[in-house]
Amino acid sequence: MTKIEKTLENKSVRPTAMRILIYKYMAEKKIAVAMTDIENVFEKAERTTLYRTLKTFEEKGIVHQIDDGTNISKFALCELGCSCELDQDLHLHFHCSNCNETVCLTEHKIPHINLPEGYIAEEANLVLKGICDKCSGH
Ligand SMILES: [Zn+2]
Ligand SMILES: [Zn+2]
Ligand SMILES: [Zn+2]
């Protein structure tokens, strides 16, 4: 069994060929990808299959969705051991306004925020905008 197959099985996702391919693509890409990116890469696959694969990944905590303010939902692989619960895998995201790429800053966690009484947070989406390391030349 390959590492990817194991990762999928650990998350109770049957490692079908399509799922393995999409996982591999996302792992190699290293930046958040939009549905259209995946559609372009897997041209021959049915759109609904691709969409359902991502939905399954999201439900099982394999990927998380990022709203980077571009009106296009992007997806990135979750960290190991993430179950996509609030206060667990909440890291910062960075959107570069020059190359338009969005990355997970997994080392940088969103600090716990004490909300006023009666407020219940269900998701958090913290996206910093600016110039990424590639574009700034550092
Ligand atoms: Zn996650
Ligand atoms: Zn950039
Ligand atoms: Zn992320």
Side-chain angles (χ1 to χ4, degrees):
M1 205 190 279
T2 66
K3 218 177 133 202
I4 294 176
E5 284 172 322
K6 232 185 212 135
T7 309
L8 294 179
E9 293 219 320
N10 281 342
K11 299 271 190 178
S12 343
V13 172
R14 203 161 46 86
T16 61
M18 194 72 231
R19 286 170 179 167
I20 292 168
L21 283 174
I22 292 180
Y23 188 97
K24 208 169 160 230
Y25 165 71
M26 291 183 79
E28 281 164 4
K29 198 81 172 136
K30 289 192 173 75
I31 61 166
V33 296
M35 193 63 215
T36 47
D37 297 325
I38 294 176
E39 281 172 20
N40 289 340
V41 172
F42 301 97
E43 281 178 305
K44 292 196 185 79
E46 295 245 20
R47 279 189 68 187
T48 46
T49 309
L50 298 175
Y51 182 77
R52 260 190 277 124
T53 304
L54 268 189
K55 270 281 151 221
T56 306
F57 278 7
E58 199 186 357
E59 278 162 22
K60 301 289 185 181
I62 294 168
V63 302
H64 55 282
Q65 214 180 124
I66 306 153
D67 173 6
D68 62 8
T70 55
N71 281 327
I72 300 161
S73 288
K74 291 184 182 158
F75 299 86
L77 291 183
C78 283
E79 293 169 69
L80 252 108
C82 157
S83 54
C84 279
E85 277 163 36
L86 209 59
D87 274 339
Q88 244 190 333
D89 176 43
L90 293 175
H91 47 260
L92 299 180
H93 290 109
F94 194 95
H95 177 73
C96 174
S97 49
N98 189 49
C99 63
N100 216 22
E101 286 183 354
T102 300
V103 291
C104 293
L105 299 177
T106 48
E107 303 288 302
H108 298 76
K109 305 291 179 204
I110 297 176
H112 179 81
I113 294 157
N114 286 312
L115 290 169
E117 226 187 289
Y119 286 80
I120 302 159
E122 286 177 334
E123 54 181 284
N125 208 335
L126 199 44
V127 180
L128 300 180
K129 287 164 204 226
I131 309 292
C132 75
D133 57 347
K134 277 179 276 169
C135 296
S136 71
H138 285 285

